[in-house]
Amino acid sequence: MDAPSANHSRTPCQPWAGQNGWSPASPPGPPCDPLPGLQHLSLSSPSEQRPDHDQPQGSTPPPRDHGAQRLVHDVPTWGQRRHIPPCSLPLVKEGMQPCRVQQMPFYSPHSPSQGMCPPPQPPYTHRGSPDGPLPQHQKHDGSPSLGVDSPLRATVESAHAPPTSPASQPPHWTLAAPSRGAINDFVPDAGAAAPDRNVPPQSPTSRYGLDPELLPSAVKVIAEDAAEWEGKVFVSEALSRLPPLATTSCLIEDRGNASPLAIRSASYCVPCEGQTALLSRLPLAALLTPLARLNEGEKPLPVSSEAACVTGCVSCGASMCPAMGWQDCGQRFSCPFCGTLSEVPWHHYQPTRGPQGVRVDRDQRPELSMGSYETLGPHRGEPAALILAVDVSASAVRGGHLEFATHEIFTLLTSLNSEDGVRVGLMTYDSRIHLYDLSPALTRPHMLVLAEAEDLQLPVREGLLVPLQDCMHGIHSVLQLIPQFSPEGGGSGGGPVQLPVRASLALLQALSCPGKLLVFHTAPLVETGDTNSSSGFFGSNRPKSIFQPSEPAVSLAEECVRQGCGVHLFVLSQQDVGGAWPGHIPYLTGGALHTYDHLQGELDRERFSADLKRVVETDTGYKAELRIFVSKDVRVSGCFGLFLPGASPGRVVMATLNRSTTLAVELAHNRALEETTGVAIQTVLSYSTQAGCRRTRVHTLTLRCSRHLQDTFRQYQAQTLLTFYCKKIYCSVLERPLQELREELQTEVTEALASYRKHCCSASVSAGQLVLPQYLRALPVYINSLRKSEVLLPGLRSSVHQRLQQRCQVLAMDAAATSAHFYPLLLPLPLSVDAAALSPDPGEALRCCAASMEPGRLYLVHAPLTLLLWVGSRVPACTLMALFNAGCFSALPSGETKLPVLENRLSARVRSLVHALDSEAPCARKLWVVKQGDACEEFLQRHLVEDKSPNGGASYADFLYHLHVNSVRLLQ
């Protein structure tokens, strides 16, 4: 790590000045140029409070000048800025002379018709990109003047500023065409970004001289929210306020509104007018996790029989919820989702009381008083089956790992509770299918060979799926014989992955039950189907994308969805190069793909055992149907996630789903909304349990409406927006070019910041001031991390299989895991045994950049799919001995490893932290030890999201600078 030179000394952070604002002091001088090359940005974090929606209308609002949080920094002259190139921005007009930008008038709350007075000329800019290096032909002539009187100040809106007037008028700015060098004219140069493998992580340096340490911090936003809500109770009421962040652990009390763990809205204040929603440039969306796991200490969802619950709307099919409006003393109710009046059946009738028309039995019925509840259906179906398919081809038998795999399978089956009535089936396959009759009446299992792979016909049905408690002896005998199988033929080829999937479908269809299929595959991966047909990659007229599944894979996945069969594929011989990617069918059916390297090493075997146990023991819903209802004045315009899309975005059918399965929905206005009624969102999930019980889980969320655009902006959360954008864009990669999606994402965020600056600023700001909504301070760093992710911007060492796998894994994540994936936790570890007495706390996380890492420290980088342990070159020898049993830095091995079990407090604390973080991950992870200056340090640099990434992605400071400057240009 290089120490900062004298020319790059940092300005100390200023203390807080007031409860809700940065220091209001502003340096004298004319308004600044919006395109200066800036070296220091002194930012502080506000001690913000959440919006108080219960403030009486007669109260006096705070002055608008105190509603913004500002900070000021000094900018050295051009002669003092060594090695800082001039700013690089898209060219607006060739030959334009530099000019000064005048002070921008703000949108007054008392003058709805007031417009913006643009300056006579836009600033001079250079064609460039936030990604990649600066153009070589760029010169200093004509660059903006960089004087001490050109400060850049950042303003973050406080939650206490009064709302503005209705922003129903169209914007006063338009987006320039791409050919004119507009904000979406960004072409990354990933090839020029290959780093030197022998160079350790460097301190991040902005191309425009901004100090990244002083920019808005996602770590501080998370820490402030945790300090406010950690361990406390959030009451979820009708038209409730903004909930805690998804990364904050707190108790949720349901008082008529669904928990944010089940439904989390992007904004908890919806604009009344569709034009106002378009003006914000931010999506109206929600995240749905129907089977969300409750936090420890929360009450379980109430469960009642379907017949005992009050019947919902017979017109649209929505379930009963607190959002229904009662009329005629309880004889009828009005549905907010379709506006129809429905009669109450006589056996469910109860009178109402009070001016609000509340039923007298409201507190005794969860469907009338709670935002989430569950009902039991009258009919019980067949219990779900567990089918095991083991590859016994020549390559599998010669690999030498079948003995360990079969032993782990039998160990796991032994640990299952046989009283649950789990039915188990077993098959092996090469180029043929081998089924086993496990009937307890037989002295030993019988093998049934199906030689016809295309048209599978089951000779018998009895004994193919048997309760676990009745077939343990038969399964054990078959698993013992599998490693001794003689390979068929002399080649190494075997059957395709689709072969056991088709056989399992035939078995489940014959017995009319859902199930979970576990395939243990070793043979080389091949693509099935007619490769010469016009539906191939090069013969189709569809847009081409490496992320698109083949038509045979989609057809087979559709059959699995109809039957409720979730596929989990364990590829025991990892193939990073060549071969077809086999993950489409597993992920489209609610399963997953797990890859290993022949299970030869101890670490691979431990990971295989952990993944196998997690897959079998995870609570799963089968044959699920999710219906989404929204208020009659809005509609569901899109639904994004890991599922096969249907005819309507408001209805999703899935083979299986679990506690973390999350979908994103986008809403749009049909007509204007009323502030008094608000907006209601309801999800109705019908699914089957492992035992075959048919259940329906209902979640209902009501949101307030406002005619003020400022209220909508202040009720957005950055983590929710990140998750929505991620799911939408990762689904769009199937049809659209990656560069177009990256540019569109940056354009949307730029236009949103420009709209907020124009219509919602609570004080007059100059062009050099960065203005961000209070709860969107972390949005730029999140969006930049998404833009330069491996899926959208591949690096030189990114394989196609890795990108396909990462896309599906991230699509299945909830909001908390998604935010941790795009902004990993950087945790400092103790160096001594005495310091280890204080357990490392994730709340003490540092900014995710190289400048936060010191050569004399240890750091743990935690992301849902990755766990890295970085060791500085100056870590004391006693620490290396206590933690790694290594005498010096050079003797420390790097790469995939396992911490040794040593009898000291430092080793125990670090291993305990690693175990706690692994328990939160969606899959078993490898622990990578990265030494400073080692060749594998590039892997660490991909996770330092505030720095420029090895694949050419822009640093956080450069990206934020471009967002600010381009948003100012849109208003000129």
Side-chain angles (χ1 to χ4, degrees):
M1 306 288 290
D2 297 338
S5 62
N7 293 333
H8 296 81
S9 61
R10 296 177 186 152
T11 304
C13 203
Q14 301 297 329
W16 291 107
Q19 179 181 5
N20 294 315
W22 292 326
S23 174
S26 178
C32 70
D33 195 313
L35 306 175
L38 301 168
Q39 188 170 6
H40 302 290
L41 180 61
S42 177
L43 284 169
S44 302
S45 177
S47 58
E48 296 130 350
Q49 305 293 331
R50 293 185 177 271
D52 187 4
H53 298 292
D54 300 328
Q55 182 179 359
Q57 296 182 357
S59 60
T60 303
R64 294 180 65 84
D65 291 339
H66 299 285
Q69 298 161 345
R70 304 183 184 177
L71 65 201
V72 184
H73 77 284
D74 298 327
V75 179
T77 60
W78 175 256
Q80 295 173 340
R81 297 177 67 256
R82 302 180 58 186
H83 308 294
I84 303 297
C87 61
S88 174
L89 287 172
L91 189 61
V92 175
K93 185 177 181 180
E94 298 292 343
M96 185 176 295
Q97 297 298 323
C99 66
R100 309 291 295 182
V101 176
Q102 304 299 322
Q103 180 77 16
M104 293 172 50
F106 65 95
Y107 190 83
S108 172
H110 307 292
S111 302
S113 60
Q114 181 182 0
M116 302 299 296
C117 299
Q121 287 181 333
Y124 177 82
T125 56
H126 290 277
R127 183 179 300 273
S129 165
D131 305 320
L134 284 170
Q136 297 295 330
H137 64 274
Q138 195 175 72
K139 299 180 180 180
H140 298 308
D141 300 336
S143 60
S145 60
L146 302 171
V148 294
D149 59 343
S150 300
L152 174 64
R153 290 165 288 174
T155 302
V156 179
E157 283 299 307
S158 169
H160 296 286
T164 61
S165 298
S168 58
Q169 59 179 353
H172 295 274
W173 42 265
T174 56
L175 181 61
S179 60
R180 298 289 303 275
I183 58 176
N184 55 357
D185 188 15
F186 297 122
V187 181
D189 188 0
D196 189 352
R197 301 175 68 105
N198 298 321
V199 178
Q202 302 294 323
S203 299
T205 302
S206 170
R207 291 192 290 167
Y208 310 108
L210 300 180
D211 190 344
E213 288 295 323
L214 303 179
L215 300 180
S217 171
V219 172
K220 182 165 289 188
V221 171
I222 295 175
E224 290 172 356
D225 192 79
E228 181 179 357
W229 288 106
E230 193 83 36
K232 299 179 181 178
V233 178
F234 172 78
V235 178
S236 184
E237 300 176 303
L239 308 178
S240 63
R241 52 182 174 163
L242 198 66
L245 294 178
T247 52
T248 300
S249 177
C250 67
L251 298 178
I252 309 295
E253 183 178 345
D254 185 348
R255 292 188 183 176
N257 232 18
S259 167
L261 299 176
I263 304 181
R264 183 177 290 270
S265 178
S267 176
Y268 279 75
C269 184
V270 179
C272 291
E273 301 286 343
Q275 181 65 25
T276 307
L278 294 176
L279 198 63
S280 70
R281 300 303 195 247
L282 291 177
L284 296 178
L287 305 179
L288 313 179
T289 311
L291 292 181
R293 180 182 291 105
L294 300 176
N295 291 326
E296 186 177 355
E298 294 182 5
K299 296 180 181 179
L301 290 185
V303 181
S304 57
S305 65
E306 185 175 315
C309 292
V310 180
T311 307
C313 181
V314 295
S315 177
C316 65
S319 298
M320 181 57 61
C321 64
M324 301 289 186
W326 297 95
Q327 299 181 9
D328 298 338
C329 296
Q331 299 183 43
R332 299 176 183 84
F333 65 88
S334 175
C335 176
F337 307 108
C338 63
T340 304
L341 280 175
S342 300
E343 298 284 343
V344 178
W346 64 269
H347 57 280
H348 287 157
Y349 169 75
Q350 287 291 335
T352 58
R353 63 186 177 187
Q356 301 296 331
V358 178
R359 282 182 43 139
V360 295
D361 61 343
R362 178 181 183 273
D363 295 334
Q364 286 75 39
R365 288 186 174 274
E367 68 270 21
L368 302 179
S369 60
M370 302 193 67
S372 300
Y373 65 94
E374 198 166 54
T375 61
L376 290 175
H379 304 291
R380 187 185 185 95
E382 291 290 333
L386 177 63
I387 302 178
L388 308 172
V390 183
D391 183 6
V392 292
S393 61
S395 57
V397 175
R398 295 167 185 168
H401 53 265
L402 286 181
E403 183 176 357
F404 172 78
T406 54
H407 177 268
E408 290 300 312
I409 292 173
F410 181 74
T411 302
L412 178 63
L413 293 178
T414 305
S415 65
L416 295 179
N417 186 5
S418 59
E419 297 180 358
D420 293 341
V422 180
R423 294 190 297 176
V424 180
L426 182 61
M427 73 174 66
T428 56
Y429 68 96
D430 40 28
S431 60
R432 302 176 299 178
I433 292 293
H434 316 133
L435 298 176
Y436 296 90
D437 187 349
L438 302 174
S439 300
L442 301 176
T443 57
R444 61 179 183 178
H446 291 179
M447 176 189 289
L448 307 175
V449 180
L450 304 181
E452 184 62 38
E454 295 298 330
D455 186 16
L456 295 174
Q457 297 292 335
L458 299 180
V460 296
R461 298 182 182 181
E462 297 296 331
L464 299 182
L465 289 179
V466 181
L468 180 60
Q469 58 185 356
D470 298 334
C471 64
M472 283 299 299
H473 176 72
I475 290 178
H476 187 208
S477 61
V478 175
L479 292 178
Q480 283 183 322
L481 293 175
I482 286 179
Q484 305 174 15
F485 276 21
S486 299
E488 182 186 77
S492 60
V497 176
Q498 292 82 357
L499 185 60
V501 178
R502 293 194 187 98
S504 300
L505 274 176
L507 183 57
L508 295 176
Q509 290 169 357
L511 299 177
S512 301
C513 67
K516 187 182 297 184
L517 170 63
L518 277 60
V519 182
F520 304 90
H521 190 80
T522 306
L525 301 173
V526 295
E527 185 74 41
T528 61
D530 186 7
T531 56
N532 296 324
S533 66
S534 60
S535 62
F537 185 86
F538 294 101
S540 172
N541 293 326
R542 297 174 55 194
K544 308 304 187 297
S545 171
I546 62 171
F547 299 100
Q548 288 179 353
S550 63
E551 291 186 7
V554 172
S555 177
L556 189 56
E558 290 175 347
E559 293 185 41
C560 292
V561 170
R562 285 193 293 267
Q563 190 58 36
C565 175
V567 181
H568 296 262
L569 180 58
F570 296 80
V571 178
L572 306 183
S573 58
Q574 186 172 359
Q575 303 174 17
D576 281 338
V577 180
W581 188 66
H584 292 298
I585 294 177
Y587 283 110
L588 289 176
T589 59
L593 171 66
H594 309 272
T595 57
Y596 311 91
D597 188 11
H598 292 88
L599 300 180
Q600 298 300 323
E602 179 185 359
L603 299 178
D604 246 11
R605 295 191 171 193
E606 291 182 357
R607 194 162 58 89
F608 172 79
S609 301
D611 287 335
L612 182 60
K613 182 178 181 181
R614 189 190 303 263
V615 167
V616 175
E617 296 182 352
T618 298
D619 293 334
T620 305
Y622 301 88
K623 299 190 73 171
E625 179 186 6
L626 179 67
R627 291 174 296 159
I628 306 169
F629 301 92
V630 293
S631 296
K632 57 184 178 63
D633 294 331
V634 294
R635 69 182 186 277
V636 179
S637 59
C639 189
F640 312 101
L642 271 181
F643 59 89
L644 291 169
S648 172
R651 180 180 178 270
V652 178
V653 180
M654 294 172 283
T656 61
L657 77 166
N658 54 36
R659 302 291 186 184
S660 61
T661 303
T662 301
L663 288 72
V665 294
E666 188 171 13
L667 310 179
H669 284 75
N670 288 330
R671 58 185 66 88
L673 300 169
E674 295 293 336
E675 287 187 282
T676 56
T677 58
V679 171
I681 303 174
Q682 183 181 90
T683 63
V684 180
L685 175 71
S686 299
Y687 69 100
S688 296
T689 63
Q690 176 70 45
C693 298
R694 194 67 183 174
R695 295 195 172 201
T696 301
R697 181 169 294 193
V698 181
H699 301 289
T700 307
L701 176 69
T702 55
L703 306 171
R704 67 176 69 246
C705 293
S706 176
R707 301 187 181 277
H708 306 303
L709 185 60
Q710 190 176 29
D711 293 339
T712 300
F713 269 108
R714 288 178 174 173
Q715 295 293 303
Y716 274 102
Q717 285 183 333
Q719 291 181 353
T720 310
L721 279 177
L722 167 69
T723 308
F724 170 77
Y725 279 131
C726 172
K727 293 186 182 297
K728 182 178 181 180
I729 289 182
Y730 276 18
C731 288
S732 301
V733 298
L734 299 176
E735 303 291 344
R736 300 177 58 188
L738 302 182
Q739 178 67 16
E740 178 182 324
L741 293 173
R742 296 176 67 251
E743 293 173 357
E744 180 180 294
L745 177 61
Q746 181 174 342
T747 300
E748 287 187 14
V749 178
T750 303
E751 291 177 347
L753 295 184
S755 176
Y756 182 79
R757 185 185 191 94
K758 177 180 180 180
H759 300 287
C760 305
C761 282
S762 58
S764 180
V765 294
S766 66
Q769 288 179 296
L770 172 66
V771 184
L772 294 170
Q774 178 181 357
Y775 299 114
L776 296 183
R777 287 175 293 162
L779 184 61
V781 68
Y782 284 147
I783 295 300
N784 186 45
S785 181
L786 172 59
R787 287 180 66 254
K788 62 182 182 179
S789 62
E790 293 292 327
V791 176
L792 300 181
L793 187 62
L796 298 178
R797 296 172 178 83
S798 301
S799 69
V800 174
H801 284 194
Q802 291 173 347
R803 296 173 61 200
L804 291 168
Q805 174 96 350
Q806 186 180 115
R807 170 188 172 268
C808 292
Q809 288 176 322
V810 176
L811 271 176
M813 293 180 181
D814 56 10
T818 303
S819 60
H821 174 78
F822 289 104
Y823 197 95
L825 285 177
L826 180 60
L827 307 175
L829 299 181
L831 294 176
S832 62
V833 177
D834 296 334
L838 300 176
S839 177
D841 184 5
E844 301 173 359
L846 305 177
R847 301 190 67 144
C848 203
C849 60
S852 303
M853 307 172 72
E854 302 175 3
R857 297 294 304 271
L858 298 165
Y859 299 91
L860 201 62
V861 180
H862 163 63
L865 306 178
T866 310
L867 189 62
L868 305 175
L869 178 57
W870 187 80
V871 183
S873 59
R874 301 177 187 174
V875 174
C878 59
T879 302
L880 299 178
M881 179 61 69
L883 191 57
F884 303 101
N885 200 22
C888 60
F889 181 77
S890 58
L892 178 65
S894 61
E896 184 181 355
T897 187
K898 179 182 178 182
L899 293 178
V901 180
L902 303 176
E903 298 298 330
N904 60 75
R905 286 187 294 179
L906 177 62
S907 176
R909 291 290 185 180
V910 174
R911 285 186 286 108
S912 176
L913 176 62
V914 170
H915 178 73
L917 295 177
D918 279 337
S919 64
E920 302 174 359
C923 59
R925 303 175 298 179
K926 304 176 183 179
L927 174 63
W928 287 82
V929 172
V930 181
K931 297 168 57 178
Q932 182 179 1
D934 196 74
C936 61
E937 203 168 40
E938 179 187 343
F939 187 48
L940 169 69
Q941 294 174 353
R942 299 179 189 176
H943 295 82
L944 301 179
V945 296
E946 292 199 15
D947 300 343
K948 185 173 181 177
S949 59
N951 59 0
S955 67
Y956 169 40
D958 291 344
F959 180 72
L960 183 61
Y961 180 86
H962 272 260
L963 284 184
H964 165 67
V965 173
N966 289 326
S967 64
V968 172
R969 290 173 54 204
L970 287 176
L971 301 178
Q972 295 173 358

